[in-house]
Short mmCIF file of all heavy atoms in Angstrom, two decimals:
data_model
loop_
_atom_site.label_atom_id
_atom_site.label_comp_id
_atom_site.label_asym_id
_atom_site.label_seq_id
_atom_site.Cartn_x
_atom_site.Cartn_y
_atom_site.Cartn_z
N LEU A 194 -8.94 -1.60 1.01
CA LEU A 194 -9.63 -2.85 1.66
C LEU A 194 -10.13 -3.88 0.73
O LEU A 194 -10.91 -4.61 1.00
CB LEU A 194 -10.68 -2.31 2.55
CG LEU A 194 -10.41 -1.25 3.60
CD1 LEU A 194 -11.63 -0.77 4.32
CD2 LEU A 194 -9.32 -1.64 4.46
N GLY A 195 -9.69 -3.75 -0.45
CA GLY A 195 -10.14 -4.63 -1.59
C GLY A 195 -9.83 -6.12 -1.41
O GLY A 195 -9.01 -6.51 -0.67
N ASN A 196 -10.53 -6.90 -2.18
CA ASN A 196 -10.32 -8.34 -2.19
C ASN A 196 -10.33 -9.03 -0.86
O ASN A 196 -9.45 -9.69 -0.59
CB ASN A 196 -9.00 -8.62 -3.00
CG ASN A 196 -9.14 -8.23 -4.47
OD1 ASN A 196 -8.95 -7.10 -4.80
ND2 ASN A 196 -9.45 -9.11 -5.27
N ASN A 197 -11.45 -8.80 -0.16
CA ASN A 197 -11.77 -9.44 1.11
C ASN A 197 -13.12 -10.01 1.07
O ASN A 197 -13.71 -10.33 -0.01
CB ASN A 197 -11.54 -8.52 2.26
CG ASN A 197 -10.07 -8.32 2.68
OD1 ASN A 197 -9.42 -9.20 3.15
ND2 ASN A 197 -9.56 -7.13 2.36
N LYS A 198 -13.76 -10.20 2.18
CA LYS A 198 -15.16 -10.68 2.29
C LYS A 198 -15.95 -9.72 3.14
O LYS A 198 -16.88 -10.16 3.98
CB LYS A 198 -15.19 -12.02 2.92
CG LYS A 198 -14.33 -13.09 2.22
CD LYS A 198 -14.28 -14.46 2.86
CE LYS A 198 -13.49 -15.49 2.07
NZ LYS A 198 -13.49 -16.83 2.85
N LEU A 199 -15.71 -8.42 3.01
CA LEU A 199 -16.40 -7.40 3.74
C LEU A 199 -17.89 -7.39 3.30
O LEU A 199 -18.16 -7.39 2.13
CB LEU A 199 -15.77 -6.12 3.60
CG LEU A 199 -14.25 -6.07 4.01
CD1 LEU A 199 -13.56 -4.72 3.70
CD2 LEU A 199 -14.05 -6.43 5.50
N THR A 200 -18.79 -7.11 4.31
CA THR A 200 -20.23 -6.99 3.94
C THR A 200 -20.76 -5.58 4.51
O THR A 200 -19.98 -4.87 5.11
CB THR A 200 -21.01 -8.14 4.73
OG1 THR A 200 -20.62 -8.17 6.10
CG2 THR A 200 -20.52 -9.46 4.12
N GLY A 201 -22.06 -5.39 4.34
CA GLY A 201 -22.63 -4.24 4.89
C GLY A 201 -22.47 -3.06 3.85
O GLY A 201 -22.03 -3.25 2.67
N GLN A 202 -22.68 -1.82 4.26
CA GLN A 202 -22.61 -0.64 3.42
C GLN A 202 -21.35 0.14 3.71
O GLN A 202 -20.69 -0.08 4.60
CB GLN A 202 -23.85 0.29 3.71
CG GLN A 202 -25.19 -0.37 3.40
CD GLN A 202 -26.33 0.68 3.72
OE1 GLN A 202 -26.50 1.04 4.88
NE2 GLN A 202 -27.06 0.88 2.58
N ILE A 203 -21.06 0.95 2.53
CA ILE A 203 -19.92 1.94 2.85
C ILE A 203 -20.35 2.86 3.81
O ILE A 203 -21.39 3.52 3.73
CB ILE A 203 -19.68 2.64 1.37
CG1 ILE A 203 -19.28 1.57 0.37
CG2 ILE A 203 -18.56 3.61 1.53
CD1 ILE A 203 -19.16 2.16 -1.08
N PRO A 204 -19.46 3.13 4.79
CA PRO A 204 -19.92 3.99 5.95
C PRO A 204 -20.22 5.39 5.39
O PRO A 204 -19.46 5.98 4.55
CB PRO A 204 -18.67 4.02 6.79
CG PRO A 204 -17.96 2.66 6.55
CD PRO A 204 -18.33 2.46 5.09
N ASN A 205 -21.23 6.07 5.86
CA ASN A 205 -21.59 7.44 5.54
C ASN A 205 -20.53 8.37 5.92
O ASN A 205 -20.31 9.38 5.29
CB ASN A 205 -22.89 7.76 6.25
CG ASN A 205 -23.41 9.18 5.80
OD1 ASN A 205 -23.59 9.34 4.62
ND2 ASN A 205 -23.50 10.08 6.70
N SER A 206 -19.68 8.02 6.94
CA SER A 206 -18.68 8.87 7.54
C SER A 206 -17.55 9.04 6.53
O SER A 206 -16.66 9.98 6.61
CB SER A 206 -18.09 8.27 8.86
OG SER A 206 -17.48 6.99 8.55
N PHE A 207 -17.43 8.14 5.49
CA PHE A 207 -16.41 8.30 4.43
C PHE A 207 -16.37 9.59 3.79
O PHE A 207 -15.44 9.92 3.15
CB PHE A 207 -16.36 7.02 3.55
CG PHE A 207 -15.59 5.91 3.97
CD1 PHE A 207 -15.52 5.68 5.39
CD2 PHE A 207 -15.00 4.91 3.21
CE1 PHE A 207 -14.73 4.58 5.91
CE2 PHE A 207 -14.35 3.84 3.65
CZ PHE A 207 -14.26 3.71 4.97
N GLY A 208 -17.40 10.29 3.80
CA GLY A 208 -17.54 11.53 3.16
C GLY A 208 -16.87 12.69 4.01
O GLY A 208 -16.64 13.82 3.54
N SER A 209 -16.40 12.31 5.23
CA SER A 209 -15.79 13.28 6.12
C SER A 209 -14.29 13.03 6.22
O SER A 209 -13.68 13.66 7.10
CB SER A 209 -16.44 13.19 7.54
OG SER A 209 -16.34 11.88 8.14
N PHE A 210 -13.71 12.28 5.38
CA PHE A 210 -12.25 12.28 5.23
C PHE A 210 -11.78 13.64 5.09
O PHE A 210 -12.34 14.50 4.30
CB PHE A 210 -11.81 11.40 4.17
CG PHE A 210 -11.72 9.92 4.44
CD1 PHE A 210 -12.64 9.03 3.85
CD2 PHE A 210 -10.79 9.46 5.45
CE1 PHE A 210 -12.59 7.52 4.20
CE2 PHE A 210 -10.72 8.04 5.66
CZ PHE A 210 -11.63 7.15 5.13
N LYS A 211 -10.59 13.97 5.67
CA LYS A 211 -10.02 15.27 5.37
C LYS A 211 -9.62 15.32 3.85
O LYS A 211 -9.08 14.63 3.24
CB LYS A 211 -8.68 15.37 6.19
CG LYS A 211 -8.02 16.72 6.12
CD LYS A 211 -6.75 16.76 6.95
CE LYS A 211 -6.09 18.04 6.88
NZ LYS A 211 -4.80 18.03 7.77
N LYS A 212 -10.12 16.54 3.37
CA LYS A 212 -9.97 16.82 1.91
C LYS A 212 -8.48 16.98 1.47
O LYS A 212 -7.74 17.44 2.36
CB LYS A 212 -10.83 17.95 1.52
CG LYS A 212 -12.29 17.80 1.49
CD LYS A 212 -13.09 18.93 0.92
CE LYS A 212 -14.51 18.71 0.81
NZ LYS A 212 -15.29 19.83 0.28
N PRO A 213 -8.16 16.52 0.38
CA PRO A 213 -9.01 16.05 -0.84
C PRO A 213 -9.52 14.62 -0.66
O PRO A 213 -10.31 14.14 -1.40
CB PRO A 213 -8.01 16.14 -1.98
CG PRO A 213 -6.67 15.95 -1.45
CD PRO A 213 -6.73 16.55 -0.03
N GLY A 214 -9.05 13.83 0.31
CA GLY A 214 -9.53 12.53 0.54
C GLY A 214 -8.49 11.55 0.03
O GLY A 214 -7.75 11.86 -0.86
N PRO A 215 -8.47 10.40 0.58
CA PRO A 215 -7.58 9.30 0.23
C PRO A 215 -7.97 8.62 -1.04
O PRO A 215 -9.21 8.74 -1.40
CB PRO A 215 -7.56 8.38 1.41
CG PRO A 215 -8.88 8.40 1.94
CD PRO A 215 -9.20 9.90 1.76
N GLU A 216 -7.03 7.87 -1.66
CA GLU A 216 -7.38 6.99 -2.68
C GLU A 216 -8.09 5.77 -1.90
O GLU A 216 -7.62 5.29 -1.01
CB GLU A 216 -6.16 6.48 -3.48
CG GLU A 216 -5.40 7.50 -4.22
CD GLU A 216 -4.35 6.97 -5.15
OE1 GLU A 216 -4.60 5.94 -5.85
OE2 GLU A 216 -3.22 7.55 -5.18
N ILE A 217 -9.34 5.51 -2.54
CA ILE A 217 -10.16 4.46 -1.81
C ILE A 217 -10.32 3.28 -2.76
O ILE A 217 -10.81 3.36 -3.88
CB ILE A 217 -11.44 5.11 -1.41
CG1 ILE A 217 -11.33 6.25 -0.48
CG2 ILE A 217 -12.40 4.05 -0.96
CD1 ILE A 217 -12.62 6.92 -0.16
N TYR A 218 -9.98 2.09 -2.25
CA TYR A 218 -10.16 0.83 -2.98
C TYR A 218 -10.99 -0.19 -2.05
O TYR A 218 -10.43 -0.59 -1.08
CB TYR A 218 -8.78 0.18 -3.31
CG TYR A 218 -7.84 0.91 -4.12
CD1 TYR A 218 -7.03 1.89 -3.69
CD2 TYR A 218 -7.93 0.61 -5.55
CE1 TYR A 218 -6.19 2.64 -4.49
CE2 TYR A 218 -6.97 1.38 -6.34
CZ TYR A 218 -6.17 2.41 -5.95
OH TYR A 218 -5.41 3.06 -6.72
N LEU A 219 -12.17 -0.43 -2.54
CA LEU A 219 -13.09 -1.33 -1.74
C LEU A 219 -13.56 -2.52 -2.79
O LEU A 219 -14.57 -3.17 -2.40
CB LEU A 219 -14.32 -0.62 -1.25
CG LEU A 219 -13.97 0.60 -0.38
CD1 LEU A 219 -15.32 1.32 0.04
CD2 LEU A 219 -13.17 0.22 0.89
N SER A 220 -12.83 -2.71 -3.73
CA SER A 220 -13.33 -3.53 -4.78
C SER A 220 -13.38 -5.02 -4.28
O SER A 220 -12.62 -5.47 -3.39
CB SER A 220 -12.43 -3.53 -6.12
OG SER A 220 -11.05 -3.70 -5.71
N ASN A 221 -14.07 -5.88 -5.05
CA ASN A 221 -14.21 -7.34 -4.88
C ASN A 221 -14.39 -7.73 -3.31
O ASN A 221 -13.70 -8.48 -2.70
CB ASN A 221 -12.88 -7.96 -5.36
CG ASN A 221 -13.05 -9.46 -5.66
OD1 ASN A 221 -14.14 -9.96 -5.61
ND2 ASN A 221 -12.06 -10.15 -5.94
N ASN A 222 -15.53 -7.20 -2.82
CA ASN A 222 -16.06 -7.54 -1.56
C ASN A 222 -17.53 -8.00 -1.65
O ASN A 222 -17.94 -8.28 -2.87
CB ASN A 222 -15.84 -6.39 -0.59
CG ASN A 222 -14.43 -6.36 0.00
OD1 ASN A 222 -14.04 -7.28 0.72
ND2 ASN A 222 -13.75 -5.33 -0.28
N HIS A 223 -18.33 -7.86 -0.57
CA HIS A 223 -19.69 -8.27 -0.66
C HIS A 223 -20.52 -7.04 -0.14
O HIS A 223 -21.49 -7.25 0.53
CB HIS A 223 -19.97 -9.45 0.15
CG HIS A 223 -19.15 -10.68 -0.24
ND1 HIS A 223 -19.22 -11.19 -1.51
CD2 HIS A 223 -18.33 -11.48 0.49
CE1 HIS A 223 -18.35 -12.19 -1.54
NE2 HIS A 223 -17.86 -12.42 -0.39
N LEU A 224 -20.11 -5.84 -0.43
CA LEU A 224 -20.69 -4.63 -0.04
C LEU A 224 -22.06 -4.43 -0.77
O LEU A 224 -22.17 -4.72 -1.96
CB LEU A 224 -19.85 -3.41 -0.23
CG LEU A 224 -18.40 -3.47 0.48
CD1 LEU A 224 -17.65 -2.27 -0.04
CD2 LEU A 224 -18.68 -3.52 1.92
N THR A 225 -23.06 -3.94 0.03
CA THR A 225 -24.37 -3.82 -0.53
C THR A 225 -25.01 -2.42 -0.19
O THR A 225 -24.37 -1.54 0.48
CB THR A 225 -25.28 -4.85 0.09
OG1 THR A 225 -25.28 -4.71 1.55
CG2 THR A 225 -24.88 -6.29 -0.26
N GLY A 226 -26.12 -2.22 -0.64
CA GLY A 226 -26.83 -0.84 -0.39
C GLY A 226 -26.37 0.28 -1.28
O GLY A 226 -25.74 0.01 -2.31
N LEU A 227 -26.77 1.43 -0.96
CA LEU A 227 -26.45 2.65 -1.69
C LEU A 227 -25.04 3.15 -1.40
O LEU A 227 -24.59 2.97 -0.32
CB LEU A 227 -27.56 3.74 -1.39
CG LEU A 227 -29.07 3.41 -1.53
CD1 LEU A 227 -29.90 4.42 -1.12
CD2 LEU A 227 -29.26 3.03 -3.18
N ILE A 228 -24.56 3.82 -2.35
CA ILE A 228 -23.26 4.49 -2.15
C ILE A 228 -23.74 5.81 -1.38
O ILE A 228 -24.61 6.62 -1.88
CB ILE A 228 -22.66 4.93 -3.39
CG1 ILE A 228 -22.11 3.65 -4.20
CG2 ILE A 228 -21.37 5.88 -3.16
CD1 ILE A 228 -21.66 3.94 -5.50
N PRO A 229 -23.09 6.14 -0.17
CA PRO A 229 -23.55 7.32 0.56
C PRO A 229 -23.23 8.60 -0.16
O PRO A 229 -22.28 8.69 -0.87
CB PRO A 229 -22.62 7.20 1.85
CG PRO A 229 -21.46 6.28 1.50
CD PRO A 229 -21.97 5.37 0.54
N ALA A 230 -24.34 9.45 -0.22
CA ALA A 230 -24.16 10.71 -0.86
C ALA A 230 -23.02 11.45 -0.51
O ALA A 230 -22.44 12.30 -1.08
CB ALA A 230 -25.53 11.48 -0.76
N SER A 231 -22.64 11.32 0.89
CA SER A 231 -21.57 12.11 1.48
C SER A 231 -20.25 11.84 0.73
O SER A 231 -19.35 12.56 0.86
CB SER A 231 -21.40 11.75 2.89
OG SER A 231 -21.14 10.34 3.13
N LEU A 232 -20.13 10.64 0.15
CA LEU A 232 -18.86 10.29 -0.46
C LEU A 232 -18.48 11.25 -1.64
O LEU A 232 -17.38 11.37 -2.05
CB LEU A 232 -18.92 8.89 -1.02
CG LEU A 232 -17.60 8.20 -1.42
CD1 LEU A 232 -16.70 8.11 -0.09
CD2 LEU A 232 -17.78 6.79 -1.83
N GLY A 233 -19.53 11.95 -2.17
CA GLY A 233 -19.21 13.00 -3.16
C GLY A 233 -18.69 14.14 -2.63
O GLY A 233 -18.16 15.06 -3.48
N GLN A 234 -18.40 14.27 -1.38
CA GLN A 234 -17.89 15.54 -0.74
C GLN A 234 -16.32 15.55 -0.78
O GLN A 234 -15.74 16.45 -0.74
CB GLN A 234 -18.33 15.67 0.67
CG GLN A 234 -19.84 15.91 0.80
CD GLN A 234 -20.24 15.92 2.29
OE1 GLN A 234 -19.39 15.94 3.19
NE2 GLN A 234 -21.49 15.67 2.52
N ILE A 235 -15.71 14.28 -0.98
CA ILE A 235 -14.28 14.24 -1.04
C ILE A 235 -13.84 14.33 -2.52
O ILE A 235 -14.70 14.29 -3.44
CB ILE A 235 -13.82 12.93 -0.48
CG1 ILE A 235 -14.24 11.74 -1.29
CG2 ILE A 235 -14.11 12.88 1.04
CD1 ILE A 235 -13.53 10.35 -0.81
N ASP A 236 -12.61 14.64 -2.74
CA ASP A 236 -12.04 14.86 -4.08
C ASP A 236 -10.81 14.04 -4.32
O ASP A 236 -9.70 14.49 -4.57
CB ASP A 236 -11.73 16.34 -4.23
CG ASP A 236 -11.47 16.73 -5.65
OD1 ASP A 236 -11.81 15.94 -6.66
OD2 ASP A 236 -10.89 17.84 -5.89
N SER A 237 -11.12 12.68 -4.28
CA SER A 237 -10.03 11.69 -4.33
C SER A 237 -9.61 11.56 -5.84
O SER A 237 -10.34 11.67 -6.67
CB SER A 237 -10.44 10.41 -3.74
OG SER A 237 -9.50 9.35 -4.00
N GLU A 238 -8.32 11.10 -5.99
CA GLU A 238 -7.88 10.81 -7.29
C GLU A 238 -8.30 9.43 -7.78
O GLU A 238 -8.46 9.27 -9.05
CB GLU A 238 -6.33 10.86 -7.36
CG GLU A 238 -5.84 12.35 -7.33
CD GLU A 238 -4.23 12.39 -7.56
OE1 GLU A 238 -3.68 11.30 -7.64
OE2 GLU A 238 -3.77 13.55 -7.60
N THR A 239 -8.56 8.60 -6.91
CA THR A 239 -8.97 7.21 -7.27
C THR A 239 -10.10 6.64 -6.34
O THR A 239 -9.93 6.79 -5.06
CB THR A 239 -7.72 6.19 -7.12
OG1 THR A 239 -6.68 6.68 -7.88
CG2 THR A 239 -8.15 4.79 -7.50
N ILE A 240 -11.17 6.17 -6.88
CA ILE A 240 -12.22 5.50 -6.19
C ILE A 240 -12.47 4.20 -6.91
O ILE A 240 -12.87 4.22 -8.14
CB ILE A 240 -13.47 6.30 -6.03
CG1 ILE A 240 -13.14 7.60 -5.24
CG2 ILE A 240 -14.58 5.48 -5.35
CD1 ILE A 240 -14.38 8.43 -5.05
#
Side-chain angles (χ1 to χ4, degrees):
L194 309 178
N196 295 82
N197 281 288
K198 301 177 181 180
L199 301 174
T200 55
Q202 295 182 300
I203 298 172
N205 186 62
S206 64
F207 273 27
S209 61
F210 276 112
K211 185 178 179 180
K212 288 186 177 182
E216 296 188 47
I217 297 176
Y218 297 84
L219 305 178
S220 57
N221 200 9
N222 278 290
H223 305 302
L224 301 176
T225 56
L227 302 175
I228 297 173
S231 63
L232 200 58
Q234 297 174 14
I235 64 172
D236 192 15
S237 173
E238 289 186 353
T239 303
I240 296 179

